[in-house]
Amino acid sequence: MRIKGWSSVWVLWAVASASSATWAQKPPVIAGVYTCVDAKGRKLTADRPIPECSDREQQVLNPSGTVKAKLGPTLTALERSALEQKVKKEEEEQGRLGDEKRRERALLIRYPNKGVHDQERAEALSQIAAVVKAASTRMDELGRQRVSIDAEMEFYKKDPNKAPAYLRRQLEENTQSHAVQQRFIAEQESEAKRVNARFDDELARLRQLWTTISK
């Protein structure tokens, strides 16, 4: 990882600190001679980071005078927070990409070709169809019961409140059960649409993956 304007040593230190969520208030001390030119144009040297140059780059020299490392300006609290957020976002993005790759590998293992994918779609939809068929059969039974109930209620059509309690209870239960089955069938039809949409999305992605691995 490289951030424009910061040396690699400084960035590595900053990133490591951000990852551990423990930021030092001072830059790391590297053995060597620190040198810099401060805001007044003075060339300063010391055996540790130079406070007068905390706002600019400092060089760490070997005994031979060669540059051992470079330290960027000391980060302010706002700069540290910004870098923490940047590192966090990059880690989250790397995690997201990793998860996506794992999902893609799992898809390819589960569906090596379109035939396997089509078969699983058909099986999922057939299960829903079986449930809907059972609910439809129950609706037919309730319909026949309703015909019988209505026939008895015909004697009380002028005043349904005079119908026997058991008959009125049967009518209420039949009406409620019919409504329940209708809602259930509607839910299963919605589920079938969701299943088809999921398989459609998977198929679109799988076509890309199959094309990639076939090249």
Side-chain angles (χ1 to χ4, degrees):
M1 175 181 174
R2 187 173 182 83
I3 300 176
K4 186 176 180 182
W6 291 352
S7 70
S8 58
V9 171
W10 180 259
V11 172
L12 288 174
W13 171 77
V15 171
S17 300
S19 300
S20 65
T22 305
W23 284 84
Q25 296 302 314
K26 297 180 180 180
V29 176
I30 302 173
V33 177
Y34 288 75
T35 180
C36 67
V37 177
D38 68 7
K40 297 179 181 179
R42 299 176 300 173
K43 185 175 182 179
L44 306 177
T45 58
D47 61 351
R48 64 188 59 254
I50 303 170
E52 290 84 354
C53 292
S54 62
D55 62 340
R56 61 197 60 231
E57 183 182 271
Q58 302 182 45
Q59 293 184 339
V60 184
L61 306 179
N62 290 307
S64 62
T66 58
V67 177
K68 180 177 184 179
K70 294 181 180 181
L71 270 65
T74 302
L75 298 179
T76 65
L78 183 60
E79 290 170 336
R80 288 197 300 271
S81 177
L83 184 56
E84 283 180 330
Q85 291 300 316
K86 180 178 178 64
V87 172
K88 181 179 179 181
K89 287 181 180 179
E90 289 179 351
E91 290 175 345
E92 290 174 348
E93 178 63 12
Q94 289 299 318
R96 185 191 67 78
L97 292 174
D99 289 342
E100 185 176 334
K101 291 295 183 183
R102 285 189 288 273
R103 285 194 296 270
E104 289 176 351
R105 287 194 295 270
L107 270 179
L108 285 172
I109 292 172
R110 185 171 182 177
Y111 306 117
N113 54 62
K114 187 174 183 296
V116 175
H117 191 259
D118 288 345
Q119 182 179 352
E120 185 160 323
R121 182 203 294 258
E123 290 174 354
L125 292 175
S126 68
Q127 292 176 5
I128 295 174
V131 173
V132 171
K133 183 178 180 180
S136 298
T137 299
R138 176 57 178 158
M139 289 276 286
D140 292 340
E141 293 174 355
L142 291 170
R144 290 192 292 272
Q145 290 177 6
R146 185 57 178 260
V147 171
S148 176
I149 294 171
D150 287 345
E152 290 191 55
M153 286 294 295
E154 183 69 19
F155 296 103
Y156 309 99
K157 63 180 180 180
K158 291 184 179 180
D159 189 357
N161 291 326
K162 290 183 178 181
Y166 81 88
L167 187 57
R168 285 185 277 117
R169 184 169 59 253
Q170 287 181 354
L171 178 61
E172 181 180 358
E173 290 175 352
N174 183 276
T175 301
Q176 291 178 349
S177 295
H178 191 274
V180 168
Q181 294 301 319
Q182 281 185 319
R183 288 197 300 271
F184 184 69
I185 290 174
E187 289 171 358
Q188 293 304 306
E189 290 173 346
S190 296
E191 177 64 14
K193 291 179 180 179
R194 285 193 291 270
V195 167
N196 269 319
R198 176 174 68 83
F199 276 93
D200 286 343
D201 290 342
E202 285 181 350
L203 184 58
R205 184 58 185 142
L206 282 166
R207 289 185 192 280
Q208 297 175 347
L209 296 175
W210 290 329
T211 300
T212 300
I213 61 177
S214 65
K215 291 181 178 179

